[in-house]
Amino acid sequence: MICMQKMGTRSIALMLIVLLAATSCSKNKRPTSLKPGKTSSKTGLAYNGKDGFEVKQYKALPAGPDLVYIEGGRFTMGSLEEDVMTRRDNPKRTVSIQSFYMDQTEVANVHYLEYLNAVQRDSSEEFYSKALPDTNVWFNELSFNDSYVTMYLRHPGFRLYPVVGVSWVQANDYCAWRTAAVSQANNTAGAAAAGGKKKKGFSFGKKKKAEGEAVATAEAAAPAPQLRIESGYVMPPYRLPTEAEFEYAAMAMIGTQYSDENQSNSRIYPWDGSTMRQPRGRKQGTMLANFKRGPGDYAGIAGKSNDGAIITQEIRSYPANDNGLYDMAGNVSEWVYDVYRPLSNSDVNDLNSFRRDGYQDDSKNYDTKNANSLVDDKLRVYKGGSWSDVAYWLSPGTRRYMDQDSATAMVGFRCAMIATGSHKE
């Protein structure tokens, strides 16, 4: 009897302790950006009152379709390869990159055709014509690539091959349209959650076609006007990744580190080692990317094709890197946001490095009039190496450039987006 009384007393005591702990936790619960609480921790005034400050609590939006979260950090930017071009434009430098999102894959033909369909319906004929990829990038007087000119973009067999023939300007227009398209779904859900009205219909840059106005401005891609940024349901804009973001995401150094911030090795390519083949496992010896092994060798011999692709290949055909990103080397090179300058790695800030124009290195310093230089503010960087490149260009630290209105069969793109607030799996 005494033993049972002791057990009962002990149980009651444990219950009281649990209740006290729960009460204490609820009182001391830390406010977060997503759940800031009902009152201001600085003034004590209630949020969302009749005359109060509106601070709605909301459920965080999921990342946009196909986006992969890239945790930020420091890394050594620049090439680890010998500077065979002797440009001296990619010296090594330690920089830090804020967390961001990046497309898991390159934008494929089917994705760009979706964009063209929307533009054709909602924009002027002039802008639709400007949005079309240049399919003649496949044409060569001394090659029979004619079938790619007519088939590559639109034939169903090439749907998931990366789009090419797209200029830097066209890639940015796609990013603006995608922002509007994805925001439409979020705005519909957000307006309902915020108690607003659903917006009917959607158009991208719809203007008076009779006037032939060019469209596709950032304003045309803005989210529905009834939702403010403070609502939390406004999608950050899609954009091209910066050069530093692309290089950081491609290197994927998160796969080489120990728990104490030391890294076991650096990387020449988006994978470990100095070779282009799987070093071990069931697929040992197979290629990790498609590229040109040497003069005239785009794929190896029939039956033992080294990478399975004479030209481009379907997205996700080769292993993802440690960030979960596909084709960060090979397949097609990719446009990045930056203007090209030879000394960018030395000049730009060491936090979120980016060169938007010729600041501190004006184009007038370069002799373009006498054809002694190509450098101006319309020259944009592309990275990653392509199906037509030798292995040297597959190293993320290498840099090349091209006019922002130019296009080739070797350059495509993918999108990126800022990561807002904290990230929890």
Side-chain angles (χ1 to χ4, degrees), residues 5 15 25 47 117 127 154 190 194-195 210 221 226 270 280 311 344 359 363 394:
Q5 286 179 344
M15 290 175 63
C25 287
Y47 292 142
N117 177 66
F127 181 70
R154 298 184 182 276
Q226 72 268 23
R280 61 186 68 86
I311 53 166
S344 285
Y359 177 69
S363 58
L394 272 63

Side-chain angles (χ1 to χ4, degrees), residues 11 18 74 109 120 204 207 230 249 375:
S11 298
V18 170
R74 72 157 195 268
N109 287 321
Q120 190 172 32
F204 169 63
K207 297 288 185 179
E230 291 90 340
V375 176

Side-chain angles (χ1 to χ4, degrees), residues 291-293 333 385-391 393-394 400 410:
F291 66 104
K292 186 178 180 180
R293 286 199 299 183
S333 298
S386 76
W387 60 272
S388 186
D389 291 318
V390 294
W393 295 110
L394 272 63
R400 283 181 288 181
M410 285 74 77

